[in-house]
């Protein structure tokens, strides 16, 4: 996910608008920054790896001036963060500049064609190809806009792009497909941007651009077209007027896109992040390579911290069920517990959303030094983990700002489930058609998570706000999801929540249970024997809530002290069960936190990325 902005003005310097826009967009991407300004007869381009503040001061951006320009904050998807990969990108002539948010899926074939046609591509990005494509179409077009439209029609994937052409100094071209894009309408200027916060300091009149639309802005007009199968259709000015909205939000509210907290925004984003993880990885040869290493390795070690460790637990379970390989889970900071036994021929699956967690990196370095191969699973391209791994699987969940991991947990599970299936294929445990039918089911996970989120948001809070303590119990898969559920309740709701295997709870924890003690069960289809454990708790007066899917029957009658919450799933498939179950607990933790007056985005004593021992 990146942030883009393009501005053109009649008689005012646009650099302050771009600088402010970059600051507002930084939450969308924070590994590189850049801008392009049309100045005199050409383009002035400044770009570098790093954050917005250092960029603005290093390049003395306030001293630049111009009437038309672009800005970009990057969150790497194609090519690691570097000065050359930072946007804007240009064509060979250096007269066209482009900024882009999204992923061009046919970049490989476009690159081959462009190189054959003599274009010199200097970065590893998919974005640069678009500048060359426009240049390539120019000789066959009667106008720059026509070349732009022809280039855009050759793109597959997602994009929000803004383009300037030094030969048309008062115009910003734009196009949108599956990546957000808005136009801000000003007095004597117009702005194109990824989202509303980038332009709220300058204007509150907004036009939302829809998929398949493209056009241009000048300081005084907006021209919009829709790209249809029948060709380009112009959107009438009167229809544009009807689409203009006046935004009342504050800048802070707008970055959260109307959600009061990033945590809620990220929980609700899960259908999109899971889909992106699935689509971005399912055909990626890297996954097949990692799978062949997993299958052929001697020992399989799975490590990580916090939520990432919890996703690793589910991976190990799936590995044992599907390709029937035993793996060993180790909390990253405790790697020494197994270090001596690890060596050549072993594989380490290191999971880290940020790719920067100190403990995880230390574990990776120690295992690597002993000859193990490393498969890193991370959300951040160019992170330390991605650099230190032999093979990297990217989660592609988009930036996560809330300290508590939510959408990256489900994306981790998705990427690791894909790895599980390809490992089974590699080992011949599943044949291709069996894998394909499981993949088909996984491709619908985003719809399952969407239904669970909707149901959980509408559900009343069940855990009394006065509770100081609760158990979250499960068996099989449920016991693993319970680990993450308890972590969310602890870190966000500030309630002591202990997860325990339900069967094991009678060997100690049950001693604390008395009348009214809240006990949650996460009941999964692999462990119907959890019924007995529910009865044990009920018999001791516990206030029981069973969370399960609707795909199987549990022989427990709901009553005053036993509530049963069914999440929609529809079919009995163990690989899909985390998606309907975890959102309930993410939302429960969130709701309790807000009801208690806490800020769920900033839980006390915690940090998003822990870079200390
Ligand atoms: C911190 C965060 C957690 C996260 C853990 C591991 O504790 O608060 O949300 O799960 O670090 O982070 P990583 O980036 O390695 O997944």
């Amino acid at each position: 996910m990146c942030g883009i902005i393009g501005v053109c003005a009649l008689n005012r310097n646009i650099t302050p608008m771009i600088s402010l826009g970059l600051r507002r967009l930084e939450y969308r991407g924070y590994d590189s920054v850049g801008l392009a300004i049309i100045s005199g007869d050409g383009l002035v381009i400044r770009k570098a790896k790093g954050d917005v503040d250092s960029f603005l001061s290093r390049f003395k951006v306030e001293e630049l001036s111009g009437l038309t320009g672009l800005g970009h904050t990057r969150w790497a998807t194609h090519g690691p963060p570097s000065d050359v990969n930072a946007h804007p990108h240009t064509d060979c002539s250096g007269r066209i500049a482009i900024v882009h948010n999204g992923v061009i899926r046919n970049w490989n074939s476009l690159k081959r064609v462009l190189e054959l046609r003599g274009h010199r591509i200097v970065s590893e990005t998919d974005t640069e190809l678009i500048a060359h494509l426009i240049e390539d179409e120019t000789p066959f077009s009667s106008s720059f806009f026509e070349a732009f439209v022809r280039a855009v029609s050759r793109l597959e994937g997602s994009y929000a792009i803004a383009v300037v052409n030094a030969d048309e100094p008062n115009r910003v071209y734009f196009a949108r497909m599956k990546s957000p894009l808005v136009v801000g309408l000003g007095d004597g200027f117009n702005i194109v941007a990824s989202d509303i916060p980038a332009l709220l300091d300058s204007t509150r009149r907004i036009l939302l651009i829809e998929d398949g639309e493209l056009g241009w802005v000048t300081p005084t007009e907006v021209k919009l077209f829709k790209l249809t199968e029948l060709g380009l259709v112009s959107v009438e000015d009167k229809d544009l007027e009807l689409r203009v909205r006046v935004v009342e939000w504050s800048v802070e509210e707008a970055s959260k896109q109307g959600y009061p907290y990033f945590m809620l925004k990220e929980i609700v984003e899960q259908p999109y992040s899971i889909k992106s993880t699935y689509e971005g990885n399912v055909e990626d040869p890297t996954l097949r390579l990692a799978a062949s290493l997993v299958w052929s390795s001697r020992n399989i070690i799975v490590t990580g911290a916090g939520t990432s460790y919890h996703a690793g637990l589910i991976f190990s379970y799936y590995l044992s069920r599907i390709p029937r390989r035993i793996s060993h889970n180790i909390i990253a900071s405790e790697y020494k517990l197994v270090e001596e036994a690890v060596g050549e021929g072993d594989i380490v699956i290191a999971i880290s959303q940020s790719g920067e967690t100190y403990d995880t990196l230390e574990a990776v370095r120690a295992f690597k030094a002993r000859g193990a191969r490393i498969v890193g699973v991370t959300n951040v391209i160019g992170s330390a983990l991605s650099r230190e791994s032999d093979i990297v699987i990217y989660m592609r969940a988009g930036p996560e700002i809330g300290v508590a991991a939510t959408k990256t947990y489900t994306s981790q599970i998705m990427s690791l489930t894909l790895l599980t299936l390809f490992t089974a294929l590699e080992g011949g445990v599943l044949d291709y058609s069996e894998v394909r039918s499981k993949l088909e089911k996984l491709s619908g996970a985003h719809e399952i998570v969407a239904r669970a989120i909707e149901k959980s948001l509408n559900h009343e809070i069940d855990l009394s706000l006065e509770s100081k303590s609760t158990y979250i119990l499960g068996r099989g898969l449920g016991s693993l999801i319970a680990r993450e559920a308890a972590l969310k309740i602890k870190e966000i709701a500030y309630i002591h929540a202990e997860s325990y295997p339900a069967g094991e709870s009678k060997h100690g924890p049950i001693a604390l249970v008395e009348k009214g003690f809240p006990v949650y069960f996460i009941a999964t289809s692999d462990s119907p024997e959890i019924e007995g454990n529910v009865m044990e708790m009920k018999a001791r007066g516990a206030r029981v809530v069973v969370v399960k899917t609707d795909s199987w029957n549990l022989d427990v009658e709901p009553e005053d002290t036993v509530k049963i919450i069914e999440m929609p799933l529809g079919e009995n498939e163990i690989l899909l069960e985390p998606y309907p179950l975890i959102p309930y607990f993410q939302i429960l933790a969130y709701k309790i936190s807000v009801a208690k007056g806490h800020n769920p985005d900033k839980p006390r004593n915690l940090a998003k990325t822990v870079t200390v021992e």
Side-chain angles (χ1 to χ4, degrees), residues 86-298:
H87 301 209
H89 291 283
T90 57
D91 63 334
C92 296
S93 75
R95 302 207 44 90
I96 301 171
I98 178 168
V99 287
H100 164 221
N101 167 36
V103 176
I104 304 303
R105 289 177 75 171
N106 57 333
W107 67 278
N108 222 339
S109 57
L110 290 176
K111 187 171 182 209
R112 272 199 304 272
V113 170
L114 286 165
E115 281 177 338
L116 281 174
R117 292 177 56 77
H119 289 263
R120 201 175 145 257
I121 317 287
V122 296
S123 75
E124 296 161 80
T125 65
D126 48 357
T127 307
E128 188 191 343
L129 305 176
I130 309 174
H132 290 276
L133 265 187
I134 301 171
E135 183 180 37
D136 204 57
E137 292 288 359
T138 305
F140 311 105
S141 309
S142 58
S143 66
F144 183 82
F145 182 58
E146 189 185 332
F148 176 71
V149 173
R150 291 170 71 118
V152 168
S153 350
R154 289 170 67 183
L155 303 177
E156 290 169 19
S158 60
Y159 49 83
I161 51 185
V163 170
V164 292
N165 170 15
D167 296 323
E168 288 181 289
N170 248 324
R171 214 170 257 222
V172 176
Y173 293 90
F174 61 83
R176 172 194 163 142
M177 180 58 76
K178 297 184 196 157
S179 291
L181 193 67
V182 296
V183 171
L185 306 165
D187 192 7
F189 66 90
N190 282 314
I191 312 180
V192 176
S194 287
D195 59 20
I196 296 170
L199 35 87
L200 276 191
D201 297 290
S202 308
T203 180
R204 293 189 163 264
R205 295 184 66 226
I206 307 292
L207 174 69
L208 298 175
I209 305 301
E210 292 171 6
D211 280 347
E213 289 183 339
L214 43 69
W216 71 80
V217 294
T218 69
T220 51
E221 64 167 2
V222 180
K223 280 285 168 212
L224 191 65
F225 301 83
K226 185 127 196 137
L227 201 53
T228 69
E229 281 174 6
L230 300 173
L232 209 55
V233 179
S234 170
V235 179
E236 299 280 326
D237 287 352
K238 60 176 179 10
D239 295 331
L240 273 188
E241 273 304 315
L242 291 174
R243 281 169 55 176
V244 174
R245 298 278 171 273
V246 176
V247 174
E248 309 287 353
W249 306 337
S250 68
V251 172
E252 155 84 338
E253 282 164 352
S255 336
K256 294 174 190 148
Q257 289 165 16
Y259 292 101
Y261 294 99
F262 279 112
M263 183 182 178
L264 182 60
K265 172 177 172 279
E266 286 158 6
I267 289 172
V268 170
E269 258 169 21
Q270 285 178 107
Y272 306 99
S273 46
I274 290 179
K275 195 163 192 270
S276 161
T277 306
Y278 177 86
E279 290 181 352
N281 283 298
V282 71
E283 284 169 18
D284 190 338
T286 313
L287 210 73
R288 298 294 295 268
L289 190 60
S292 76
L293 279 185
V294 172
W295 180 257
S296 60
S297 64
R298 191 179 60 141

Side-chain angles (χ1 to χ4, degrees), residues 16 38-39 222 245 304 343 354 369 448 481 504 523 589:
I38 297 184
S39 176
V222 180
R245 298 278 171 273
S354 61
I448 294 165
I481 301 173
E504 183 69 6

Side-chain angles (χ1 to χ4, degrees), residues 550-592:
D550 61 5
S551 62
W552 62 288
N553 289 323
L554 183 69
D555 198 10
V556 173
E557 285 300 313
E559 48 187 276
D560 278 357
T561 57
V562 181
K563 282 198 181 146
I564 300 190
I565 298 168
E566 278 196 346
M567 287 293 145
L569 174 59
E571 62 174 318
N572 203 341
E573 171 54 69
I574 196 78
L575 296 181
L576 289 175
E577 273 186 81
Y579 306 111
L581 293 173
I582 195 62
Y584 178 83
F585 292 92
Q586 295 170 335
I587 289 167
L588 180 68
Y590 168 81
K591 282 185 177 174
I592 296 173

Side-chain angles (χ1 to χ4, degrees), residues 3 24 59 145 169 182 203 216 237 307 409-410 475 478 491 498:
R24 301 296 186 204
F59 290 105
F145 182 58
V182 296
T203 180
W216 71 80
D237 287 352
T307 295
Y409 175 64
T410 40
R475 292 182 86 113
E491 63 181 349
E498 193 171 347

Side-chain angles (χ1 to χ4, degrees), residues 305-308 351-357 360 403-405 412 487-488 491 606-610:
T307 295
S308 296
I351 309 160
S352 172
Q353 184 282 131
S354 61
E356 303 289 347
T357 298
T360 308
V403 166
Q412 284 166 342
L487 179 64
K488 290 297 94 116
E491 63 181 349
L606 298 178
K608 180 79 187 149
T609 304
V610 182

